[in-house]
Amino acid sequence: MRDPVVPRGGLEAWAPLERGRFASRVGVDIQCVEEVRTSLSIFKDRYLTRVFHEHEITFARSHPYVAARYLAGQFAAREAMLKVLEIEDALSVWRNIFIMCDQSSYRVELFDAASTIARGQGITEIFLSISRNRTSATALALATVDYKLKGGSQ
Amino acid sequence: MSDISESIREILVLHANLPVDISRLSDEDDLYQNGFTSHASVNVMLAIEDTFNVEFPDSLLRKSSFQSVKAIADLLESLSENNPTQ
């Protein structure tokens, strides 16, 4: 039998953590690639600039053969992020979310309103995974919430 | 049914990708509860901008703005009031 996982510094390292102080939130979304391809075909640059970050637009333009598949993943990631941030209404926050691909992992950068909302909710870390195939893209976002940073309200 | 409502319904047929026939829905029926998605709302927003020659400010880019035919019509009315020359 394997030894149980113990934090660096021993079990006492967990002692200062208040029970119920931390929580995890998860958001998931799926996006059809063909729908994105259709939007690109009809609305072109207006579709891109209303939803995506300029770096994502640059990537899509320089990789036209995989643009729809790539953008479907970025869109699904945005929707997963809105769920994690518990934003139910404000679609304009899409453009405040930038998802970077670093080797095989993803990193999320939040700007302006999205950043303010995340800070206000005590979100300290966000993990993201995106999977794409020919027909659809799926994204899963996981956030760590520190209720102490949220101002003590749970 | 007003002309604006009819135009909105035509846009929804073309761009909303709804799994139900729009003629079966009333102006007040919730589009999201009938299969409307966030991605489709982008298409509908852009098509409405093209059709009515308006631009949605970021403050109006909300899911609730596209909740129903009536919500979209109300939104268009408020945009017209703010841009009386259009």
Side-chain angles (χ1 to χ4, degrees), chain A residues 31-32 35-36 38-39 42-43 46-47 50-51 75 79 82 87-95, chain B residues 15 17 32 37-39 41-43 45-47 49-50 55-58 61-66:
Chain A
Q31 177 58 46
C32 170
E35 287 179 7
V36 173
T38 302
S39 300
I42 296 173
F43 299 109
R46 287 176 56 228
Y47 168 73
R50 295 304 276 270
V51 179
F75 192 90
E79 285 292 283
L82 291 193
I87 298 171
E88 293 181 357
D89 201 28
L91 301 178
S92 58
V93 173
W94 277 331
R95 281 180 293 175
Chain B
H15 301 285
N17 210 17
Y32 291 103
T37 65
S38 297
H39 190 266
S41 70
V42 178
N43 294 336
M45 174 190 73
L46 293 171
E49 287 186 342
D50 288 343
E55 185 169 352
F56 286 92
D58 275 357
L61 292 184
R62 299 180 164 278
K63 274 190 176 179
S64 52
S65 302
F66 304 94

Side-chain angles (χ1 to χ4, degrees), chain A:
Chain A
M1 184 183 292
R2 293 178 59 186
D3 291 335
V5 177
V6 175
R8 202 173 286 176
L11 284 173
E12 63 275 14
W14 275 339
L17 301 184
E18 295 167 28
R19 190 176 180 84
R21 175 177 165 182
F22 296 93
S24 296
R25 269 194 216 155
V26 68
V28 67
D29 198 75
I30 185 166
Q31 177 58 46
C32 170
V33 172
E34 191 56 37
E35 287 179 7
V36 173
R37 189 173 288 116
T38 302
S39 300
L40 278 169
S41 165
I42 296 173
F43 299 109
K44 302 182 172 60
D45 279 1
R46 287 176 56 228
Y47 168 73
L48 289 170
T49 55
R50 295 304 276 270
V51 179
F52 299 100
H53 189 276
E54 60 183 291
H55 294 317
E56 294 166 323
I57 296 172
T58 301
F59 182 91
R61 283 179 178 148
S62 60
H63 299 78
Y65 294 108
V66 293
R69 191 182 298 202
Y70 164 74
L71 292 171
Q74 305 305 98
F75 192 90
R78 274 170 173 69
E79 285 292 283
M81 284 299 304
L82 291 193
K83 290 169 184 171
V84 151
L85 295 172
E86 296 184 341
I87 298 171
E88 293 181 357
D89 201 28
L91 301 178
S92 58
V93 173
W94 277 331
R95 281 180 293 175
N96 301 154
I97 300 171
F98 174 42
I99 296 115
M100 284 167 289
C101 182
D102 180 19
Q103 301 291 331
S104 60
S105 64
Y106 292 92
R107 194 156 62 85
V108 182
E109 270 194 26
L110 304 178
F111 303 94
D112 303 330
S115 173
T116 304
I117 290 167
R119 274 202 305 273
Q121 296 188 0
I123 290 177
T124 56
E125 282 183 297
I126 295 170
F127 304 95
L128 182 72
S129 182
I130 305 175
S131 183
R132 301 172 171 90
N133 69 14
R134 193 168 54 85
T135 57
S136 60
T138 307
L140 186 141
L142 177 72
T144 305
V145 180
D146 182 343
Y147 284 110
K148 206 155 201 175
L149 295 178
K150 197 181 176 183
S153 60
Q154 291 191 36

Side-chain angles (χ1 to χ4, degrees), chain B residues 6-75:
Chain B
E6 194 54 41
S7 298
I8 291 168
R9 285 172 176 273
E10 286 172 15
I11 288 170
L12 290 171
V13 168
L14 289 172
H15 301 285
N17 210 17
L18 290 173
V20 297
D21 185 344
I22 187 73
S23 65
R24 296 172 70 95
L25 303 179
S26 74
D27 281 0
E28 288 78 22
D29 276 337
D30 189 317
L31 296 173
Y32 291 103
Q33 286 182 6
N34 284 282
F36 197 41
T37 65
S38 297
H39 190 266
S41 70
V42 178
N43 294 336
V44 168
M45 174 190 73
L46 293 171
I48 286 172
E49 287 186 342
D50 288 343
T51 304
F52 294 97
N53 193 27
V54 293
E55 185 169 352
F56 286 92
D58 275 357
S59 60
L60 293 180
L61 292 184
R62 299 180 164 278
K63 274 190 176 179
S64 52
S65 302
F66 304 94
Q67 196 93 31
S68 64
V69 172
K70 184 178 183 305
I72 298 170
D74 289 346
L75 188 62

